[in-house]
Each structure stands twice: as structure tokens, then as C-alpha cells.
Amino acid sequence: METLNYNIKTWLSTSENKELQNQIMKEEKEYIEKKEILDAIRDGLLEIKEARSSGRKLMTAEELLNEL
């Protein structure tokens, strides 16, 4: 991904292309944020699955809020 970013930045180095460059970088940032969110959801679901199969008790939402 870094190589792609470098190539895009090099290709879009002229001032008239700054708007297009900013839009591409914004879309890439949005993709990364979505990926991070989906990864966190997947990790949480895997934790629940593991806890159910092993019989381990997970923290309730109320316990989590009280801890904060």
C-alpha cells in the first residue's frame, strides 16, 4: 500500500491535481477505518465463540461500563 501511495503522490505532484490527490487519500483513510472496525468486530466475535466453547465467563456490558 505504501508503494501505491508513493506512486500516487509522485504522479499527482502538480498543483492542479492536489484536489484529486486529497480525495484519493481521504477514500484510502475511510477504507482503513472501515477495515479496522470490521477487524475489531471479528476479534470480538471470535472471543465470544472461544469463551462459549471453553465455558469461560465474559464481562457483561454493565461490568464494562462500571469499570470505565
Side-chain angles (χ1 to χ4, degrees), residues 9 12 17 33 36 47 66-67:
K9 289 177 184 174
L12 297 173
N17 292 323
E33 289 173 352
E36 290 172 352
E47 183 180 353
N66 289 336
E67 190 175 289

Side-chain angles (χ1 to χ4, degrees), residues 50-66:
E50 180 184 311
R52 286 183 178 172
S53 66
S54 68
R56 182 172 53 101
K57 185 178 181 291
L58 293 175
M59 186 182 298
T60 65
E62 184 177 353
E63 291 170 337
L64 176 65
L65 289 174
N66 289 336

Side-chain angles (χ1 to χ4, degrees), residues 33-45:
E33 289 173 352
K34 288 176 187 176
K35 184 178 182 327
E36 290 172 352
I37 291 168
L38 292 174
D39 287 345
I41 292 170
R42 185 185 69 242
D43 292 344
L45 291 172

Side-chain angles (χ1 to χ4, degrees), residues 12-13 15 18 20 22-23 25 43 46-47 55 59 66:
L12 297 173
S13 60
S15 62
K18 289 295 180 187
L20 180 57
N22 289 337
Q23 183 177 354
M25 295 303 168
D43 292 344
L46 287 172
E47 183 180 353
M59 186 182 298
N66 289 336

